[in-house]
Amino acid sequence: MTPQTGGPAAPTPYELPLIGVRLSRRLAVGGTLLLLLAVVACLLTGLSPLLPIFLALLALVAVSPVVGLGYALVVLNTPLGLWFLRVEGVVGDAFGGRDYALGLSAAVVACVLFALTVVLHRWTRRQVIGASAALLAVGVWSLIGFAHHGVAQTLVGVRLTVLPVLLLVVLFSLRLRQVLPLMTVLAWVLVANAVASVGELAVGPARLVRWGFEEDTAVRYIGDTFRVPGLTSFNAELGILAGAYLLGYVVLWLTPTARPKRLSWHAGGAASVLCLVLSTSRSGALLVAGGLVAAVVLNRSGGAAGRRRARIVGLGVVAAVAAGFVALGMAGASSLFQRFDVWAKLFAADLPLWGLGIGGVGAATTSRVTSSQQIFIDNYFVSVALQFGPVVGVALVAVTGYALWWLWRRTAERPGAVLFVALLAGLACSFLVIEAWEYPGAMMCLGIFAAYGRHLDAAGLPPDGATDATPEPTAEPAAPPTIPTTIDRPTAR
């Protein structure tokens, strides 16, 4: 029997979790009564009555990908703002004074959404093999970490390493009409960070410290220059987030069929420039510069005139960002040479061929549960070599180079692949000076742009103004290689 095409197609089981959950009246009443009983039980046992309420809200958020990912996006990229508004304190009190509960809830939501995606996804043999190899690698190097620096620190490292992958898998499972709202939420998150940055600059670091902002974390300096944190934890986190958004936004302008038209996206682009300059994050600036240079140099699509205009726009943005850093007196490279000395000393020590295990270096060593010396790397390629061994570190560099070459060849036929070139090249450049992978908020930003570009590249859908009526591809599109989805010195996560 030929299926009807006049109306909307009935949702398949795989699509159901992407729509949400409809509660019947009876189920809603039963759930409300159960929640009230849980609140009473908490009062009688001395627990916070807010605990079951927050858990219920978290469960509702976690079953809807758009709402859940939007929640994670806000929590990961505005932690300082949520602390200032006392949201973090309220949630922490609900969990017995654990102030990290709110931040951890974003990882829980990501894990639930990932589990739903995995269970309902139609797996191919190649995907099963890749997932099995990844699970085996995480398991083996987790055991090495348990033996080297303990279970708690290793689990923190596992969360920092795996969370961007989980978010990327969920983002790539979304339809275009589900990615667009996340792009808008991301833009307004950047606007909110820009407003907060200007306010912090106007208030001044001395008053911020009196308000409770932590020195050497939220309030930091380079010389006499105040490094603004915005709504993130510290300036490097703001800079890498702003650089990720600015890179994706400008590259969309360099692709004629993907130029953004929404006002909120333009506001986010302007806000990202302001955040990047006020944060004085050279790591974020390098992410933008490296990605844009790769986008204009490795682009094989369009005519010569179009590529020439793209070069002018891309290099113009790089020059503007560089001029802003020079104007602020942040053009020095002394800290980079200090990092060379640190890397040399780390490799000079006795390093096993299999590495130190997950969590052996980086942000996991600054966690409240750390059991070893704090080790800052400021280079994710070096971090991978220390955690997984030199062989894996070299393999990561080789895979990154191959992926760039593969995407470069693809740009001749698929102009949308230019976005993937820029994101991967920018990320690789940021890896040279910061553990960018350990900044889940910024990695989620890159993941949203990657998910958006996947639809542009695979189906040729109009990039903006798409509605629910936009036809979806009938066949499963061929996904490009996974783009890795936090200061210069990471703090405790």
Side-chain angles (χ1 to χ4, degrees):
M1 179 181 295
T2 304
Q4 296 180 356
T5 58
T12 64
Y14 174 61
E15 295 169 344
L16 285 177
L18 304 183
I19 298 173
V21 176
R22 287 186 176 182
L23 299 177
S24 66
R25 181 177 299 179
R26 181 177 299 178
L27 185 59
V29 172
T32 302
L33 292 176
L34 184 61
L35 180 60
L36 292 176
L37 290 175
V39 171
V40 173
C42 288
L43 288 172
L44 294 176
T45 57
L47 298 175
S48 172
L50 295 176
L51 178 59
I53 297 176
F54 180 75
L55 290 176
L57 292 175
L58 195 64
L60 291 175
V61 165
V63 297
S64 173
V66 176
V67 177
L69 290 172
Y71 172 84
L73 188 63
V74 173
V75 171
L76 292 175
N77 291 299
T78 61
L80 190 60
L82 295 174
W83 165 82
F84 188 74
L85 295 175
R86 303 294 188 264
V87 176
E88 180 187 274
V90 171
V91 176
D93 291 341
F95 285 88
R98 295 174 175 84
D99 56 354
Y100 55 85
L102 181 61
L104 195 60
S105 67
V108 173
V109 170
C111 289
V112 173
L113 292 175
F114 174 78
L116 290 174
T117 303
V118 168
V119 170
L120 298 166
H121 180 65
R122 301 183 183 93
W123 290 85
T124 64
R125 179 177 299 180
R126 181 180 299 179
Q127 290 172 335
V128 170
I129 294 175
S132 301
L135 286 174
L136 179 62
V138 171
V140 169
W141 271 278
S142 293
L143 293 176
I144 297 173
F146 293 161
H148 183 264
H149 43 260
V151 174
Q153 182 176 325
T154 301
L155 293 179
V156 174
V158 170
R159 174 171 62 85
L160 294 171
T161 303
V162 173
L163 182 57
V165 179
L166 305 186
L167 290 170
L168 191 64
V169 170
V170 177
L171 286 166
F172 268 42
S173 72
L174 301 182
R175 295 185 181 276
L176 178 62
R177 64 175 179 267
Q178 295 171 309
V179 177
L180 292 175
L182 294 175
M183 292 281 289
T184 301
V185 172
L186 176 61
W188 288 121
V189 166
L190 264 297
V191 172
N193 271 280
V195 173
S197 298
V198 174
E200 291 162 351
L201 197 64
V203 169
R207 184 176 296 180
L208 292 176
V209 172
R210 291 197 297 270
W211 286 355
F213 285 58
E214 187 177 352
E215 289 189 270
D216 297 327
T217 303
V219 179
R220 304 178 69 203
Y221 296 86
I222 287 185
D224 296 329
T225 304
F226 173 40
R227 312 177 73 178
V228 174
L231 298 178
T232 64
S233 299
F234 53 100
N235 72 296
E237 192 170 6
L238 175 64
I240 200 75
L241 169 65
Y245 186 92
L246 181 59
L247 174 60
Y249 174 77
V250 175
V251 174
L252 289 181
W253 274 102
L254 301 183
T255 307
T257 60
R259 289 172 181 168
K261 300 177 182 178
R262 297 190 175 189
L263 178 61
S264 59
W265 297 11
H266 301 324
S272 65
V273 175
L274 186 62
C275 290
L276 184 58
V277 173
L278 293 182
S279 69
T280 69
S281 171
R282 285 165 289 189
S283 304
L286 185 60
L287 188 153
V288 176
L292 288 180
V293 170
V296 298
V297 171
L298 301 180
N299 185 8
R300 302 171 63 198
S301 64
R307 289 195 296 268
R308 191 181 304 113
R309 287 192 298 269
R311 293 189 186 100
I312 294 173
V313 173
L315 298 179
V317 172
V318 173
V321 172
F325 276 78
V326 171
L328 290 174
M330 309 310 305
S334 58
S335 62
L336 181 61
F337 291 105
Q338 293 174 1
R339 294 174 185 180
F340 289 153
D341 295 334
V342 173
W343 301 337
K345 292 177 181 179
L346 288 172
F347 279 111
D350 293 334
L351 177 66
L353 185 62
W354 49 85
L356 305 175
I358 298 178
V361 297
T365 65
T366 68
S367 170
R368 56 181 56 85
V369 298
T370 184
S371 59
S372 63
Q373 179 185 3
Q374 294 184 1
I375 303 177
F376 300 104
I377 305 299
D378 293 336
N379 183 312
Y380 196 67
F381 289 116
V382 175
S383 179
V384 169
L386 292 173
Q387 293 182 77
F388 295 87
V391 175
V392 177
V394 173
L396 176 61
V397 175
V399 169
T400 302
Y402 172 78
L404 282 173
W405 173 80
W406 187 87
L407 290 169
W408 167 73
R409 293 188 59 187
R410 190 178 177 84
T411 58
E413 301 175 354
R414 299 290 184 93
V418 177
L419 178 61
F420 291 103
V421 171
L423 297 179
L424 182 56
L427 188 62
C429 290
S430 69
F431 277 2
L432 298 173
V433 293
I434 197 172
E435 294 97 326
W437 191 264
E438 296 181 347
Y439 290 73
M443 294 304 98
M444 187 175 183
C445 176
L446 291 177
I448 291 173
F449 276 103
Y452 183 57
R454 175 176 178 266
H455 290 284
L456 300 179
D457 177 62
L461 297 174
D464 204 74
T467 63
D468 292 348
T470 302
E472 299 283 346
T474 56
E476 195 70 19
T482 300
I483 296 181
T485 52
T486 123
I487 197 180
D488 303 313
R489 292 174 183 265
T491 58
R493 297 288 189 272

